[in-house]
Amino acid sequence: MGMQVKRVSVSFKNEGDGQASYTATLNLGLISTSIKGSFNVEDLITQCSGLLCIAARRLKNRPAYIERKLAEAMGN
């Protein structure tokens, strides 16, 4: 058994506090169905294994004194 998907539409919304929600709509010709859900962006980025994820984990775990020095360097 198979089906032919005519069109897929996905929209994302920032819910604040690191949460994002999404709605995916699948158009199967005469029938259309939607899937809704949400996820935490920070958890998603820091739990993967790519280079961007490794960098994000290291930035997240920086000591407070480094944050202060960076703020001073930026003139804040």
Side-chain angles (χ1 to χ4, degrees):
M1 182 176 178
M3 66 179 147
Q4 182 179 10
V5 177
K6 301 255 182 200
R7 185 173 52 169
V8 176
S9 171
V10 181
S11 62
F12 293 92
K13 181 179 179 187
N14 182 354
E15 299 291 342
D17 200 28
Q19 287 292 116
S21 63
Y22 63 89
T23 303
T25 303
L26 304 166
N27 185 333
L28 307 171
L30 297 175
I31 300 171
S32 182
T33 186
S34 293
I35 302 167
K36 294 182 179 187
S38 64
F39 57 93
N40 184 292
V41 177
E42 184 177 335
D43 287 346
L44 178 69
I45 291 173
T46 58
Q47 291 182 10
C48 64
S49 61
L51 290 176
L52 178 61
C53 303
I54 293 168
R57 281 193 298 275
R58 287 184 180 162
L59 285 173
K60 180 180 178 188
N61 296 324
R62 277 195 302 210
Y65 75 90
I66 291 176
E67 292 297 326
R68 284 193 304 274
K69 291 292 184 184
L70 286 172
E72 288 173 12
M74 298 299 289
N76 294 334

